Amino acid sequence: QVVVTEAFAPLLGVNFRTKNRLTGRVEYKTERNMALNISNAQMTELNSNDVVLELGYTKAGMRMPFRIQGEVQTLKNDLQMKMTFVIRDTQTVQRKIEEVNTITSGNINFQLRPTINYVVNQRLNVMFYFDRSINEPKVSNAFRRTSTAFGTQIRFSLAQ
């Protein structure tokens, strides 16, 4: 068996940050894996194309939308908000000599991931996240899959 892999990750990419603390990232990635099986004269080709869009904003001195003991509270540290959108297109093609090429698997995957991150102090970090993923299959023997995850992540560092 002979395997050839080519990957451009990212092929094109732009990162930016403005004076107003707005950040962004746009990336295009592509990958191709080809495997030639000599025993049955078949070639399997896996193609993958990704587009990543990300926007973020950092807010200093954020005022809380509720009152604690009758006073409006203001956060002392920076609050980071980020929204990531990913589109991934994958497909596997089975090629045989003098036969029709067949798509054996593949899907289009959409991901939406907003996060809010706050550093309470040097040791404590709190993150709220939401992750939505939708897979649209390209073949008839697969089903559409959707998954959702959300929650809070608390990190406490013991290192100094």
Side-chain angles (χ1 to χ4, degrees):
Q1 186 172 13
V2 178
V3 178
V4 176
T5 301
E6 10 177 92
F8 297 100
L11 178 61
L12 298 171
V14 175
N15 292 338
F16 66 88
R17 182 177 176 129
T18 66
K19 290 180 182 179
N20 297 336
R21 304 178 105 186
L22 180 69
T23 59
R25 177 173 65 119
V26 178
E27 285 185 353
Y28 176 71
K29 303 175 191 177
T30 183
E31 183 176 353
R32 181 170 74 164
N33 295 316
M34 295 178 292
L36 174 63
N37 193 343
I38 297 171
S39 64
N40 60 3
Q42 286 186 352
M43 177 180 261
T44 304
E45 182 177 349
L46 173 65
N47 293 315
S48 175
N49 296 311
D50 297 5
V51 175
V52 179
L53 303 170
E54 182 177 281
L55 281 174
Y57 182 68
T58 303
K59 174 78 173 156
M62 173 93 171
R63 293 178 54 140
M64 298 303 290
F66 50 85
R67 295 178 184 268
I68 298 175
Q69 296 178 351
E71 295 180 10
V72 176
Q73 298 292 318
T74 303
L75 298 177
K76 297 174 185 165
N77 297 327
D78 291 347
L79 182 73
Q80 298 174 345
M81 297 169 274
K82 190 184 340 179
M83 173 71 76
T84 306
F85 182 69
V86 179
I87 300 173
R88 178 172 289 130
D89 183 5
T90 60
Q91 104 177 359
T92 303
V93 179
Q94 191 75 35
R95 302 181 191 278
K96 296 180 183 178
I97 296 175
E98 297 182 6
E99 289 187 28
V100 177
N101 298 334
T102 307
I103 297 176
T104 56
S105 68
N107 61 27
I108 297 175
N109 178 269
F110 301 97
Q111 295 177 12
L112 181 67
R113 294 185 300 233
T115 60
I116 298 174
N117 192 9
Y118 181 66
V119 178
V120 178
N121 58 34
Q122 193 175 16
R123 294 178 183 245
L124 185 61
N125 186 359
V126 179
M127 182 172 74
F128 300 99
Y129 66 91
F130 179 83
D131 187 358
R132 177 80 170 183
S133 181
I134 301 170
N135 285 315
E136 290 286 341
K138 291 187 173 182
V139 292
S140 61
N141 62 352
F143 298 99
R144 178 182 180 180
R145 294 183 316 262
T146 302
S147 64
T148 304
F150 61 92
T152 303
Q153 185 180 61
I154 300 173
R155 290 184 187 174
F156 184 75
S157 176
L158 298 175
Q160 292 199 24

